[in-house]
Amino acid sequence: MNIISIIEKKKLCQPLTKEEIEFFVNGAADGSIPEYQLSALLMAIRLNGMNREETVNLTLAMAHSGDMMDLSSIEGIPTDKHSTGGVGDTTTLVLAPLVAACGVPVAKMSGRGLGHTGGTLDKLESISGLSIDLTEEEFLRQVEDIGIAVVGQTKNLAPADKTLYALRDVTSTVDSLPLIASSIVSKKLASGAQAIVLDVKTGAGALMQTTEDSIELAKTMVRIGCDAGRKMVALVTDMGEPLGSHIGNALEVKEAIDVLAGRVEGPLLTVALELGARMLLLGGAAETVEDGKAKLQEALRSGAGLEKLRQMIAAQGGDPACCDDTSLLPRANYIQELRSAETGYIASMDTIRLGNAAQAMGAGRKQKTDLIDHSVGYVMHKRIGDHVDKGDLIATLHAKNPESAGEAGKEILASLHFSQAPVPPCKLIHAFVDGE
Ligand code: URA
Ligand code: CA
């Protein structure tokens, strides 16, 4: 087989065969096809697309380019959830303990922050001592013992995706439906869960900004997952503004603990319950979505969810005391209030800019090797639809120093767009997609 003829075919809009797809995916994984040829092919795929059969074949080839985790020793239906990435989106830390407390095993491999979005692994590492680097055996044993583990991907999980994703990032080929769907679903298939709930974000801060494109992405991923024999559904949820009020690693852990302790409600809990109820349904622990939500609410009320988080933190070597006293989490040196320079209703937010503001404070990386500062970020006190008077508190900044707080404050204020007429709050759940 010849890579040039494969590029040529896709350039001419012709579908690629299973063998051709496996050839270039294996060549990406083992380094035998040079990056310039892979890049040309990625651009041809970005411009000319792939049909359903090609997309399924691409996903399966990427999943099988490395290890396929075997979770069959776990009792029950191992369940996972995946978000396409958001700002202030710490649903995993809220719903994973609640779902596990309801008896459905949660075996989750998470990612680092990417671009303007935060990553669950970075958030977890705010907890003193906690490790996300478990071996496959440790990961399995922990899920068998306590029903929950949230860890980093093992080295050899979908290696073809690592190569292709890094190339897409620098060749303007991230925004391709078959490439996004195969990238995400291949990693989910390889990490072994039998039931997977996808949270496809939509709006200003999402990979796909229109509801139609987001639904299309959700449908594509769900079809592939079901074709591959897994139970998979998706919710399309809003990213027109940050989901929770806390943005930044330790701040988001604090918010998740506050929610699990019953001190805080709001959109983060609402979305966590919607997604979690679907996990219980697929995991066989609920009859209906309403039944699932009621069970999760009970795990919240009884404290069983927070207790599950304590167990997980302890099992992964962390100090669970932060679950009872969030002041033990890393705290920033410099805390400053940010006040509004305008009067009006908040009509929209530039969520990407809001995410980048936290990253620039040190909550994220500019380069892969950068160290992050777990303590920094900010708490937003206003949402879309809120009325704000000049001088009202907009956010509390947790910064390294006054300069950093000043820069973040400017970015946050510039990210808010005001209207003089009332504006309704954002709709949180835009669509549900299943395999039918
Ligand atoms: N997340 C992924 O893992 N892959 C993509 O292509 C986009 C988001
Ligand atoms: Ca089993």
Side-chain angles (χ1 to χ4, degrees):
M1 210 159 304
N2 175 341
I3 184 66
I4 301 174
S5 64
I6 296 175
I7 299 169
E8 176 81 6
K9 254 179 114 174
K10 191 40 73 180
K11 181 181 80 180
L12 299 174
C13 278
Q14 294 164 8
L16 303 179
T17 66
K18 183 167 180 285
E19 290 70 30
E20 287 164 336
I21 288 170
E22 285 171 355
F23 177 79
F24 87 76
V25 167
N26 292 332
D30 67 17
S32 60
I33 299 176
E35 292 186 339
Y36 49 82
Q37 288 175 321
L38 291 172
S39 298
L41 180 58
L42 287 169
M43 185 56 85
I45 294 171
R46 162 64 181 81
L47 295 175
N48 293 331
M50 280 188 148
N51 66 31
R52 178 171 175 172
E53 191 185 339
E54 288 176 285
T55 309
V56 170
N57 286 332
L58 175 60
T59 309
L60 293 176
M62 299 221 300
H64 288 277
S65 70
D67 299 339
M68 295 290 284
M69 290 278 292
D70 177 7
L71 304 182
S72 60
S73 64
I74 294 168
E75 200 177 320
I77 301 172
T79 305
D80 190 359
K81 161 260 172 190
H82 182 85
S83 154
T84 58
V87 177
D89 170 20
T90 188
T91 48
T92 293
L93 296 185
V94 174
L95 68 77
L98 289 173
V99 168
C102 292
V104 171
V106 179
K108 175 150 180 57
M109 290 193 180
S110 278
R112 301 265 174 206
L114 191 72
H116 66 286
T117 68
T120 301
L121 299 182
D122 297 323
K123 295 172 201 175
L124 280 172
E125 284 178 343
S126 323
I127 299 168
S128 165
L130 186 140
S131 168
I132 51 85
D133 278 321
L134 272 64
T135 65
E136 204 174 311
E137 293 71 37
E138 289 167 335
F139 176 66
L140 272 177
R141 200 172 330 116
Q142 185 176 318
V143 181
E144 286 163 11
D145 287 351
I146 61 168
I148 183 171
V150 179
V151 303
Q153 283 168 18
T154 53
K155 293 247 161 2
N156 201 31
L157 194 94
D161 179 65
K162 289 199 181 74
T163 306
L164 295 177
Y165 195 90
L167 290 176
R168 287 167 60 209
D169 206 21
V170 292
T171 56
S172 189
T173 51
V174 170
D175 63 338
S176 150
L177 199 101
L179 294 179
I180 295 171
S182 59
S183 167
I184 293 174
V185 179
S186 64
K187 287 175 281 192
K188 293 292 109 184
L189 298 180
S191 60
Q194 290 305 308
I196 300 142
V197 176
L198 300 173
D199 180 9
V200 178
K201 300 291 183 188
T202 192
L207 221 45
M208 296 286 176
Q209 310 201 328
T210 70
T211 313
E212 297 72 53
D213 286 351
S214 305
I215 291 175
E216 199 48 43
L217 174 61
K219 283 185 177 161
T220 304
M221 293 197 287
V222 166
R223 268 191 225 122
I224 304 170
C226 295
D227 283 359
R230 308 292 169 92
K231 298 185 189 187
M232 193 180 280
V233 299
L235 285 172
V236 176
T237 73
D238 196 73
M239 204 24 79
E241 65 185 329
L243 179 60
S245 58
H246 289 50
I247 297 137
N249 297 289
L251 289 168
E252 292 185 46
V253 173
K254 176 189 183 301
E255 185 170 27
I257 292 170
D258 284 342
V259 170
L260 287 172
R263 288 188 287 272
V264 168
E265 293 183 354
L268 173 60
L269 176 60
T270 304
V271 171
L273 292 175
E274 289 284 343
L275 294 164
R278 262 82 187 191
M279 290 170 77
L280 292 190
L281 210 56
L282 297 190
E287 300 289 323
T288 61
V289 173
E290 287 316 310
D291 177 36
K293 281 192 211 168
K295 290 194 159 103
L296 295 167
Q297 290 275 20
E298 177 51 26
L300 186 70
R301 196 205 54 75
S302 69
L306 186 58
E307 175 55 22
K308 202 42 94 177
L309 181 64
R310 276 193 206 93
Q311 287 176 11
M312 182 184 100
I313 292 171
Q316 292 181 215
D319 181 0
C322 62
C323 293
D324 303 294
D325 179 1
T326 55
S327 75
L328 296 171
L329 291 165
R331 290 215 285 182
N333 294 331
Y334 185 79
I335 295 181
Q336 184 184 300
E337 291 182 340
L338 179 68
R339 294 187 175 272
S340 181
E342 292 184 61
T343 292
Y345 295 90
I346 299 181
S348 64
M349 296 191 191
D350 183 341
T351 316
I352 293 180
R353 196 163 177 180
L354 285 171
N356 284 332
Q359 307 297 312
M361 294 172 87
R365 299 173 185 80
K366 291 186 193 77
Q367 292 182 339
K368 251 180 131 166
T369 48
D370 287 351
L371 287 180
I372 64 177
D373 181 342
H374 293 101
S375 71
V376 299
Y378 56 92
V379 181
M380 284 290 284
H381 302 292
K382 300 291 176 194
R383 299 192 74 85
I384 290 175
D386 286 350
H387 185 269
V388 177
D389 281 316
K390 189 174 171 181
D392 278 358
L393 187 62
I394 292 280
T396 306
L397 307 168
H398 293 242
K400 275 197 216 315
N401 53 45
E403 294 72 52
S404 170
E407 278 162 30
K410 263 187 239 146
E411 286 299 303
I412 294 167
L413 291 182
S415 306
L416 306 181
H417 307 296
F418 287 86
S419 149
Q420 292 317 306
V423 174
C426 283
K427 184 173 154 184
L428 285 175
I429 311 289
H430 292 270
F432 171 70
V433 171
D434 64 13
E436 264 115 62

